[in-house]
Amino acid sequence: MLILASKSKARKKLLEALGVKFRVMPARVKEHADAVRHPARTVAANALLKARDAARRVKKGIVVGCDTLVWQDGRAFGKPASLKEARAMLKRLSHRPHVLYTGIAVIDAASGREMTEVEETRIEMEPLSDREIAQYFRKVSPLDKAGGFDVQGLGGSFIRRIRGCYFNVVGLPIARLRVMLKKFGVSLLLVLCGFAVNGCSTEYNLATHKEDTMMYSTEREVAIGDSLAAQVEKNYTVVQDPQMNERLDRVGAKVAQASDRHDLTYRFRIIEDPKDKDLVNAVSLPGGYIYIFKNLMTVADTDDELAAVVAHEVAHIVARHSIKRLQAIWGYNILTILAGATKNAEAAQGVQMAYAFLLSGYSQEDELTADGMGAIYAKRAGYNPQGMIEFLDKLRKRQKKEPPQALSYFKTHPGYGRRIRATKEALGENIDFDDFIDTL
């Protein structure tokens, strides 16, 4: 029997999701408070204190104790005591990288054998404004969360990059725990555990020229895309205009063929928001789905311009930006998306969260990468890559006349000058002084 010496809801939920049989026995100890000098030693010592407390109350069983703290610039952050403290804490953490330490202690209650280890994960967030923090706190209570936010929920949308174990940020570094328990003769290699922990593969991405650690095969990525696409088509009207669809399919097919990824089928569709028919935007989803808003088709009135927009979205799919963001933020929770077609309430909620998360836009870094890659793909496909510059110039002029909509191409992408530079750099062109001036 596995015994969890913690009352953490996140840790309990993680083990339940992995199908692990265990019981909860919260520790009743006073924790060490030496984190300012030794954060790693402190979490290890506290985890051992908790495990020992629970082990003394049972005759047999494998006891797991944990302790977590957030560390930034020589300061430790725990759970905020008030909303004022939570606001100050979250704002500070969002503006500079921080490290999350988790100590794990495993004890065999029968023999008294002990083992402790520490997992360390670096987190980088998008800088948050006071308004964004206030909006978040209206939906999520920060008082029971270390650092004031939940990485597996809405707080996950704040995170730009996680370096290390995602599960550590959720509350329990499963991979490290699995190795520790194995030394005690306990196996966590159950169906879901094997998928989430050992199912990752490392592959070289031809587009980004980097090693990517992927938790999902192309087949699973397409399944996730199917669920998200159903959500998009539920919320928007799919445009059936034969002429417009023929144009998009023709341009899309050429761009897709010129891209660096051919292990999936690209699907191009035109959609329209019944409540805002002037919306100009494009959206890409895992598995090859690309949606172009009807009004964008009108604004991009040359095939060169349309090809540039399509190539940008294809580049997101080639680089797997959406699937990497989802696996970095939600980890095992994304499994619920695969059952999105069922009537399971948790699955439906998972689809809704992922859908809203992806439509809120990629990181600035991902957008600029897609600009550079997209320019190359458009050129390979036989189109003039300057089409993107021409298209952006049109949108810049439109923006001067009216404010952008919530999901407009301006709202979810970097400034004009930065995008021009990214495009020119990818094409090996000279960068002018004007290109360093962001006019958006």
Side-chain angles (χ1 to χ4, degrees), residues 8-23:
S8 165
K9 294 179 180 178
R11 290 175 186 140
K12 180 175 180 288
K13 187 175 180 180
L14 253 177
L15 291 178
E16 288 174 343
L18 296 174
V20 177
K21 292 183 179 181
F22 68 100
R23 69 183 174 113

Side-chain angles (χ1 to χ4, degrees), residues 228-305:
L228 293 172
Q231 189 67 37
V232 169
E233 294 176 25
K234 177 181 178 181
N235 293 342
Y236 296 97
T237 301
V238 177
V239 177
Q240 303 296 341
D241 186 300
Q243 200 168 12
M244 293 182 76
N245 279 287
E246 185 280 328
R247 180 189 175 210
L248 177 59
D249 288 341
R250 171 172 47 81
V251 172
K254 289 182 180 180
V255 172
Q257 184 60 38
S259 75
D260 293 303
R261 189 175 181 193
H262 301 131
D263 62 336
L264 45 75
T265 300
Y266 291 88
R267 284 163 272 201
F268 305 94
R269 292 171 187 169
I270 302 171
I271 57 175
E272 186 176 47
D273 186 346
K275 299 178 182 178
D276 187 359
K277 295 187 177 183
D278 292 329
L279 193 60
V280 177
N281 201 16
V283 177
S284 56
L285 300 177
Y289 285 94
I290 293 176
Y291 290 93
I292 306 294
F293 280 77
K294 182 179 179 180
N295 200 35
L296 188 151
M297 296 287 297
T298 302
V299 175
D301 55 4
T302 70
D303 283 358
D304 289 331
E305 293 177 6

Side-chain angles (χ1 to χ4, degrees), residues 101-410:
Y101 291 92
T102 296
I104 309 176
V106 178
I107 298 178
D108 183 338
S111 67
R113 182 186 173 194
E114 299 178 344
M115 179 183 297
T116 59
E117 291 193 18
V118 176
E119 186 73 35
E120 178 181 335
T121 302
R122 178 185 170 90
I123 304 169
E124 297 176 28
M125 301 173 70
E126 296 287 352
L128 299 174
S129 66
D130 292 335
R131 182 180 178 183
E132 289 172 319
I133 292 173
Q135 290 175 335
Y136 172 61
F137 286 172
R138 281 196 286 269
K139 296 180 180 180
V140 177
S141 172
L143 302 183
D144 60 343
K145 300 170 181 64
F149 72 101
D150 59 330
V151 68
Q152 70 272 39
L154 292 177
S157 63
F158 304 150
I159 294 181
R160 177 190 302 162
R161 184 177 294 110
I162 291 177
R163 296 182 181 177
C165 177
Y166 161 79
F167 295 101
N168 185 34
V169 185
V170 175
L172 186 62
I174 295 296
R176 186 175 291 272
L177 176 61
R178 180 185 67 81
V179 173
M180 293 175 73
L181 291 176
K182 187 176 180 180
K183 296 176 180 179
F184 283 76
V186 178
S187 175
L188 282 184
L189 293 182
L190 303 175
V191 177
L192 288 178
C193 187
F195 175 78
V197 177
N198 299 313
C200 301
S201 64
T202 300
E203 60 184 54
Y204 183 76
N205 192 310
L206 292 172
T208 60
H209 307 294
K210 296 178 182 178
E211 290 284 345
D212 289 337
T213 299
M214 303 308 300
M215 197 178 288
Y216 305 98
S217 64
T218 296
E219 182 181 0
R220 289 186 180 276
E221 181 184 345
V222 171
I224 293 171
D226 291 343
S227 294
L228 293 172
Q231 189 67 37
V232 169
E233 294 176 25
K234 177 181 178 181
N235 293 342
Y236 296 97
T237 301
V238 177
V239 177
Q240 303 296 341
D241 186 300
Q243 200 168 12
M244 293 182 76
N245 279 287
E246 185 280 328
R247 180 189 175 210
L248 177 59
D249 288 341
R250 171 172 47 81
V251 172
K254 289 182 180 180
V255 172
Q257 184 60 38
S259 75
D260 293 303
R261 189 175 181 193
H262 301 131
D263 62 336
L264 45 75
T265 300
Y266 291 88
R267 284 163 272 201
F268 305 94
R269 292 171 187 169
I270 302 171
I271 57 175
E272 186 176 47
D273 186 346
K275 299 178 182 178
D276 187 359
K277 295 187 177 183
D278 292 329
L279 193 60
V280 177
N281 201 16
V283 177
S284 56
L285 300 177
Y289 285 94
I290 293 176
Y291 290 93
I292 306 294
F293 280 77
K294 182 179 179 180
N295 200 35
L296 188 151
M297 296 287 297
T298 302
V299 175
D301 55 4
T302 70
D303 283 358
D304 289 331
E305 293 177 6
L306 180 59
V309 174
V310 171
H312 175 96
E313 299 304 329
V314 167
H316 278 309
I317 294 172
V318 172
R320 299 191 179 187
H321 284 155
S322 56
I323 198 70
K324 283 190 286 188
R325 285 193 82 200
L326 289 173
Q327 77 175 24
I329 301 305
W330 281 298
Y332 78 94
N333 283 340
I334 202 174
L335 291 171
T336 61
I337 296 172
L338 299 178
T342 72
K343 298 189 181 298
N344 181 287
E346 290 188 8
Q349 184 181 26
V351 174
Q352 288 273 12
M353 288 176 63
Y355 163 78
F357 182 60
L358 291 182
L359 260 68
S360 69
Y362 295 100
S363 70
Q364 300 277 302
E365 181 181 343
D366 286 349
E367 294 292 3
L368 293 173
T369 297
D371 277 333
M373 291 169 58
I376 293 173
Y377 292 163
K379 186 176 182 179
R380 282 186 197 169
Y383 296 101
N384 184 349
Q386 296 295 320
M388 176 58 82
I389 297 174
E390 295 169 2
F391 175 70
L392 288 171
D393 193 44
K394 286 183 179 180
L395 292 184
R396 177 173 59 85
K397 292 174 181 177
R398 285 172 59 93
Q399 193 222 10
K400 288 183 177 180
K401 297 179 181 179
E402 56 186 36
Q405 305 100 319
L407 288 177
S408 74
Y409 216 64
F410 276 123

Side-chain angles (χ1 to χ4, degrees), residues 92-105:
R92 175 168 174 166
L93 291 175
S94 76
H95 280 75
R96 286 181 57 78
H98 52 279
V99 178
L100 188 140
Y101 291 92
T102 296
I104 309 176

